[in-house]
């Protein structure tokens, strides 16, 4: 298994890592492996909130071990070329 990435509901700047284990959640792993989960895609993730693996100073305390992942709103990387970083308002107005 491995991390899906950081998820955010927009309520704060910090994200929450979502981990999808192929053996534990094969259907969720297929969704993640399909290439449909690029930056900006809206997902519904269900699973368990657990203490983060390998946590340390500056690391997050918790992560989600996903049991299911559903794409509820796709986002085309070609149409919306956003990376997971902060962008200036000027850049965002031009996208």
């Amino acid at each position: 298994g491995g991390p899906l990435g950081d998820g955010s509901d927009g309520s704060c700047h910090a994200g929450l890592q979502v981990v999808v284990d192929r053996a534990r959640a094969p259907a969720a792993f297929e969704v993640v492996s399909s290439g449909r989960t690029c930056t900006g895609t809206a997902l519904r993730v269900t699973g368990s909130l657990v203490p983060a693996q390998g946590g340390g100073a500056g690391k997050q305390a918790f992560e989600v071990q996903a049991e299911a992942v559903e794409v509820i709103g796709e986002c085309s990387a070609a149409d919306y070329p956003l990376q997971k970083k902060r962008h200036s308002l000027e850049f965002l107005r031009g996208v």
Side-chain angles (χ1 to χ4, degrees):
L4 165 60
D6 286 335
S8 176
D9 64 1
S11 62
C12 64
H13 291 292
L16 181 64
Q17 180 168 279
V18 176
V19 179
V20 181
D21 185 308
R22 180 182 219 159
R24 183 173 176 219
F29 189 85
E30 288 301 317
V31 171
V32 172
S33 300
S34 71
R36 296 174 53 210
T37 58
C38 63
T39 299
T41 300
L43 302 173
R44 177 176 292 127
V45 177
T46 56
S48 301
L49 185 65
V50 299
Q53 302 281 322
K59 304 264 181 167
Q60 63 187 26
F62 297 96
E63 65 188 20
V64 173
Q65 292 285 330
E67 296 165 5
V69 176
E70 175 187 359
V71 175
I72 57 174
E74 293 195 32
C75 183
S76 166
D79 293 336
Y80 301 98
L82 299 176
Q83 298 174 357
K84 190 179 172 335
K85 64 179 186 177
R86 292 194 186 272
H87 297 285
S88 69
L89 292 177
E90 202 171 297
F91 173 81
L92 293 173
R93 286 184 193 109
V95 177

